[in-house]
Amino acid sequence: MRVLMVAPPGAGKGTQSALIARHFGIPHLAIGAKLRDNVARGTELGHLVRGYLDRGDLVPDEIVMGILREGLAAAKAAGTGYVLDGIPRTLEQAKAAYRIAEELDMTVNVALHLKADDEEVTKRLLERASREHRSDDNAVVIRQRLDLYRRATTPILAWYGQRGILVSVDAMRPVEQVGREILAALDAMAPLVDHVPEDMRRSVDLSDLGVWLDRYHHDNGPPAG
Ligand code: AP5
């Protein structure tokens, strides 16, 4: 299974990517975490990118596309799929990522869109700030990250939608519920993804499923088990 995440900061890309990676036994390529690790270890790359991370700005493409290329090549060598967390963030990155993946015969099967509103994700990120010390988890930089997501990243949703590989889920619900829905969708798709011709792929919006299930369980009692 080859998956990438598209979502605003705090929607759960890292949380749900880790779940998907464990479930399918595939590597989790988290660009932001890799960059932060370099900052923490004081590497040359860390020095280069620190300011971008602190400000909530995008790190230059040549750096992140290099990390992506390495990650995809390693997954290819290991004969696995992958889950990409944090890349692509612009249409240019999405197109460059497609070219790299195509060269490796590793193009993505599913672009997973986690839908969550600004108020909810801001609350989550400020809660995390009280437990952890990410330099970009403060009110000013969170606003900048959300603004950047809206301006630079959301245009890629239409691109994946047209390719018929966009799967949208409601990420406003508790972690476990969101995770169950994602794994159910990916499990259903996994046997098919490499066999459906490109022109027959269809995007799917599951984001109302939670509301329907809640309504159903309200009317019919909780699910068994
Ligand atoms: P990155 O690390 O990717 O940060 P981000 O996009 O801002 O996302 P977060 O990690 O804050 O949130 P998330 O969606 O992963 O949610 P999470 O699961 O952590 O990137 C950091 C920086 O690196 C960027 O700003 C940029 O500078 C640079 N960068 C990265 N990629 C780049 C690229 N491609 N190009 C250029 N620059 C790049 O959850 C957040 C919190 O919410 C956690 O506390 C979690 O426990 C909680 N939570 C998660 N889900 C739920 C839920 N359903 N209910 C309640 N709480 C939840």
Side-chain angles (χ1 to χ4, degrees):
M1 181 54 86
R2 299 185 295 276
V3 183
L4 63 79
M5 314 294 280
V6 188
K13 297 186 293 297
T15 306
Q16 301 300 343
S17 293
L19 178 77
I20 296 167
R22 262 197 316 278
H23 183 77
F24 287 102
I26 54 179
H28 171 194
L29 183 57
I31 301 288
K34 195 163 182 95
L35 296 172
R36 278 189 296 281
D37 175 59
N38 274 273
V39 172
R41 289 188 292 113
T43 65
E44 197 179 325
L45 175 63
H47 287 298
L48 266 175
V49 302
R50 177 179 209 137
Y52 294 97
L53 296 179
D54 290 351
R55 292 188 301 273
D57 286 339
L58 292 181
V59 167
D61 281 2
E62 58 272 23
I63 295 178
V64 293
M65 297 321 290
I67 296 174
L68 175 70
R69 182 180 281 281
E70 257 176 43
L72 293 192
K76 167 97 179 170
T80 68
Y82 55 76
V83 52
L84 301 183
D85 161 11
I87 193 163
R89 295 206 186 223
T90 62
L91 201 51
E92 291 70 30
Q93 285 189 5
K95 290 181 177 171
Y98 181 77
R99 286 192 294 274
I100 293 171
E102 203 180 26
E103 265 175 45
L104 295 166
D105 198 19
M106 295 276 278
T107 55
V108 72
N109 305 126
V110 175
L112 195 58
H113 174 206
L114 306 182
K115 287 174 148 180
D117 68 29
D118 286 10
E119 194 184 338
E120 171 68 16
V121 299
T122 302
K123 186 176 98 206
R124 291 179 191 175
L125 295 176
L126 291 175
E127 272 170 20
R128 181 170 68 187
S130 65
R131 299 190 306 272
E132 299 172 23
H133 301 286
R134 256 179 73 161
S135 63
D136 55 352
D137 279 347
N138 61 71
V140 173
V141 180
I142 291 170
R143 259 200 307 280
Q144 152 69 7
R145 288 154 68 197
L146 284 170
D147 181 51
L148 197 53
Y149 174 76
R150 235 184 324 273
R151 281 188 292 111
T153 307
T154 54
I156 70 181
L157 293 169
W159 194 62
Y160 290 118
Q162 280 155 18
R163 285 176 52 199
I165 60 169
L166 189 68
V167 175
S168 303
V169 300
D170 172 10
M172 296 283 285
R173 294 163 298 141
V175 172
E176 298 72 21
Q177 235 176 306
V178 178
R180 270 201 303 275
E181 192 169 300
I182 290 173
L183 294 186
L186 295 182
D187 275 341
M189 297 169 84
L192 308 172
V193 285
D194 282 324
H195 306 289
V196 180
E198 281 194 15
D199 60 343
M200 291 189 64
R201 294 178 189 163
R202 295 290 177 269
S203 293
V204 47
D205 188 347
L206 301 174
S207 58
D208 285 337
L209 195 59
V211 177
W212 284 104
L213 286 174
D214 287 348
R215 203 171 294 164
Y216 176 83
H217 293 138
H218 178 264
D219 295 344
N220 297 280

